[in-house]
């Protein structure tokens, strides 16, 4: 059985376990905002048609001005990228042939990017409750050049605390180790959060990357950016291919970034759905991570060894979750679900209730 490496391909995921989901398919495999893309985006497309026939402004002046306003940082500290994925590969390229630390289970592209640029990887594991092994990390940090950390972590939704991060950053300063924080899901957080970007002025060994793809539900367009001081942006810029960000994304960015109503609506929806799901899933006896982002891990507390069977049952009921076979340290023991619309989450709970009744 060869399962796709990423979510968001419900037909392929179902086919890979020899099943075909008929009728409406509920795709819980890709953690994309179900409220997006913002409704006004379609109306803007005719205006943006002209961007298709022209090369984008190579300096992306308007997009940088909007991003710089949004983040309260100068454009010299920012690099627009073709999604978070390009950011990860650009950063790995800077450390070509050097040594990296990755904490599993996490987003698989750090490892792929490190392999692409011949980095030697040390891998540590989150503990049983998916917390970061800070002391073990502190032992490894002096011997590596770069650490890739996902915050909040995909797929567990857990965080390295701010205090722990500062502890590692200070250590990294002494040992010339750079810490990369991937904040691909930070825009979803509904809990009050201290922003890692505020540490950039204190720690020149910190690089922060973000994705706008998930929050605005634009995987077909792609958008991301890097925030860093310490001359990193200029080094990264040299590695980036020209016109890497397409003209439509660049043209939409000012309006996307200033859409506060969309952001507020997203956070309200997510908080309500996370609370509802947590209550119902626990009542049904499912073990799940408590998340303040738009995804969570789940397995049956009564039948913890039957995750593969549960996967098949869900697909047979037109629900496609994300398998965790290629997340090191999870090896398929859990399923990852995106938080979807109220109606879709209710359908998931209905099917999980059926599973429980059948057991
Ligand atoms: C943690 C993390 N970082 C980065 C990315 C890539 O972001 P983008 O889709 O903007 O390239 C993803 C996509 O799944 C992700 O989960």
């Amino acid at each position: 059985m060869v399962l796709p490496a990423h979510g968001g391909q419900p037909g392929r995921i179902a086919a890979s376990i020899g099943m075909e989901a008929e009728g409406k398919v509920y795709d819980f495999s890709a953690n994309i905002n179900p409220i997006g893309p913002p409704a006004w985006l379609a109306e803007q497309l005719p205006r943006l048609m002209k961007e298709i026939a022209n090369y984008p402004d190579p300096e992306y002046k308007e997009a940088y001005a909007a991003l710089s306003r949004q983040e309260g940082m100068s454009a010299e500290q920012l690099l627009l990228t073709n999604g978070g994925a390009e950011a990860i590969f650009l950063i790995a390229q800077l450390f070509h042939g050097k040594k990296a630390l990755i904490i599993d289970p996490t987003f698989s592209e750090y490892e792929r990017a490190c392999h692409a640029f011949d980095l030697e990887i040390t891998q540590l594991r989150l503990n049983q409750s998916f917390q970061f092994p800070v002391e073990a990390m502190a032992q490894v940090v002096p011997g590596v050049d770069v650490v890739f950390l996902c915050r909040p972590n995909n797929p567990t939704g857990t965080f390295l605390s701010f205090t722990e991060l500062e502890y590692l950053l200070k250590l990294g300063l002494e040992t010339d180790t750079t810490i990369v924080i991937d904040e691909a899901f930070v825009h979803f957080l509904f809990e009050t959060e201290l922003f890692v970007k505020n540490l950039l002025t204190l720690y020149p060994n910190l690089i922060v990357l973000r994705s706008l793809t998930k929050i605005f539900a634009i995987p077909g367009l792609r958008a991301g950016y890097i925030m860093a001081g310490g001359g990193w942006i200029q080094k990264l810029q040299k590695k980036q291919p020209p016109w890497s960000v397409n003209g439509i994304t660049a043209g939409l960015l000012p309006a996307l970034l200033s859409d506060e109503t969309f952001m507020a609506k997203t956070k309200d929806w997510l908080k309500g759905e996370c609370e509802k799901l947590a209550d119902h899933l626990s009542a049904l006896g499912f073990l799940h991570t408590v998340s303040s982002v738009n995804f969570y891990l789940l397995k049956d507390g009564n039948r913890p060894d039957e995750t593969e069977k549960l996967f098949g049952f869900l697909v047979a009921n037109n629900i496609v979750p994300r398998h965790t076979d290629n997340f090191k340290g999870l090896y398929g023991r859990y399923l990852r679900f995106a938080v979807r619309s109220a109606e879709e989450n209710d359908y998931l709970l209905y099917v999980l209730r059926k599973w429980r009744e059948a057991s």
Side-chain angles (χ1 to χ4, degrees), residues 26 28 34-35 269-270 272-274 276-277 338-350:
Y26 293 81
F28 283 82
I35 291 184
W269 147 77
L270 186 60
E273 288 307 303
C274 279
K276 176 181 89 184
L277 284 163
V339 180
R340 302 288 306 165
S341 69
E343 180 232 337
E344 290 167 289
N345 296 329
D346 288 347
Y347 179 66
L348 171 65
L349 290 170
Y350 162 75

Side-chain angles (χ1 to χ4, degrees), residues 235-252:
K235 286 186 201 151
L236 289 160
Q237 236 161 10
K238 285 191 190 142
K239 305 276 181 202
Q240 190 176 37
W243 311 291
S244 187
V245 176
N246 70 73
I248 295 186
T249 301
L252 285 169

Side-chain angles (χ1 to χ4, degrees), residues 6-7 31 81-88 106-110 150-155 182-185 209-214 218-219 222-224 295 327 336:
H6 292 285
N31 34 22
T81 58
N82 189 7
E86 187 192 27
I88 293 166
T106 195
F107 186 48
S108 55
E109 294 300 323
Y110 310 134
C150 193
R151 190 176 189 277
N153 187 45
N154 177 10
D182 180 349
E183 291 191 322
F185 295 94
L209 72 97
R210 289 182 170 182
S211 165
L212 295 171
T213 310
K214 315 273 185 183
I218 50 169
R222 333 220 20 81
F295 54 85
F327 282 111
R336 193 193 69 193

Side-chain angles (χ1 to χ4, degrees), residues 32 145 185 215 265 330 337:
I32 289 171
D145 303 284
F185 295 94
I215 188 81
K265 203 169 143 197
L330 289 183
F337 291 83

Side-chain angles (χ1 to χ4, degrees), residues 71-280:
E71 295 296 355
M73 294 170 71
S74 78
E76 287 69 45
Q77 294 174 293
L78 297 164
L79 185 69
L80 274 175
T81 58
N82 189 7
E86 187 192 27
I88 293 166
F89 275 72
L90 281 174
I91 295 167
Q93 199 178 350
L94 275 194
F95 292 91
H96 198 157
K98 296 193 172 171
K99 293 184 177 162
L101 169 63
I102 295 175
I103 319 297
D104 291 306
T106 195
F107 186 48
S108 55
E109 294 300 323
Y110 310 134
E111 189 175 340
R112 239 170 53 89
C114 287
H115 285 314
F117 298 106
D118 296 323
L119 276 89
E120 188 185 316
I121 308 172
T122 301
Q123 281 166 311
L124 291 175
R125 289 280 152 85
L126 299 178
N127 70 16
Q128 293 283 22
S129 28
F130 302 133
Q131 300 304 314
F132 283 81
V134 180
E135 282 315 316
M137 289 164 74
Q139 300 287 315
V140 176
V141 162
V144 298
D145 303 284
V146 59
V147 184
F148 285 92
L149 291 177
C150 193
R151 190 176 189 277
N153 187 45
N154 177 10
T156 59
T158 44
F159 285 79
L160 183 73
S161 79
F162 217 68
T163 318
E164 290 165 337
L165 174 58
E166 273 212 270
Y167 167 58
L168 295 174
L169 279 165
K170 279 192 189 123
L171 184 61
L173 265 188
E174 287 163 21
T175 61
D176 199 17
T177 307
T178 301
I179 303 210
V180 179
I181 303 289
D182 180 349
E183 291 191 322
F185 295 94
V186 77
H187 297 102
F188 284 97
L189 292 176
F190 51 81
E191 300 293 347
T192 316
E193 162 68 355
L194 291 166
F195 285 114
V196 168
K197 70 174 183 185
N198 295 335
L199 296 177
L200 285 169
T201 45
L202 293 174
Y203 299 99
N205 59 332
L206 171 64
I207 300 179
V208 182
L209 72 97
R210 289 182 170 182
S211 165
L212 295 171
T213 310
K214 315 273 185 183
I215 188 81
F216 291 116
I218 50 169
L221 285 176
R222 333 220 20 81
Y225 55 99
I226 298 174
M227 302 187 278
W232 288 114
I233 296 295
Q234 291 63 40
K235 286 186 201 151
L236 289 160
Q237 236 161 10
K238 285 191 190 142
K239 305 276 181 202
Q240 190 176 37
W243 311 291
S244 187
V245 176
N246 70 73
I248 295 186
T249 301
L252 285 169
L253 266 185
L256 284 171
L257 290 169
S258 58
D259 192 345
E260 286 173 16
T261 314
F262 177 82
M263 290 300 216
K265 203 169 143 197
T266 295
K267 289 186 190 197
D268 278 356
W269 147 77
L270 186 60
K271 189 167 190 311
E273 288 307 303
C274 279
E275 285 170 2
K276 176 181 89 184
L277 284 163
D279 287 351
H280 285 80

Side-chain angles (χ1 to χ4, degrees), residues 12-79:
R12 273 192 64 202
I13 294 175
S16 63
I17 60 165
M19 299 188 77
E20 208 173 297
E22 283 170 14
K24 179 172 164 57
V25 173
Y26 293 81
D27 183 10
F28 283 82
S29 68
N31 34 22
I32 289 171
N33 187 355
I35 291 184
W40 53 260
L41 197 147
E43 291 156 27
Q44 297 279 318
L45 288 179
R47 172 182 76 82
L48 294 164
M49 278 308 287
K50 71 172 183 350
E51 308 293 354
I52 290 178
N54 294 317
Y55 278 97
D57 165 13
E59 292 171 26
Y60 299 102
K61 282 202 198 67
E62 286 177 22
Y64 271 107
L67 191 58
S68 157
R69 252 192 325 274
Q70 175 73 19
E71 295 296 355
M73 294 170 71
S74 78
E76 287 69 45
Q77 294 174 293
L78 297 164
L79 185 69

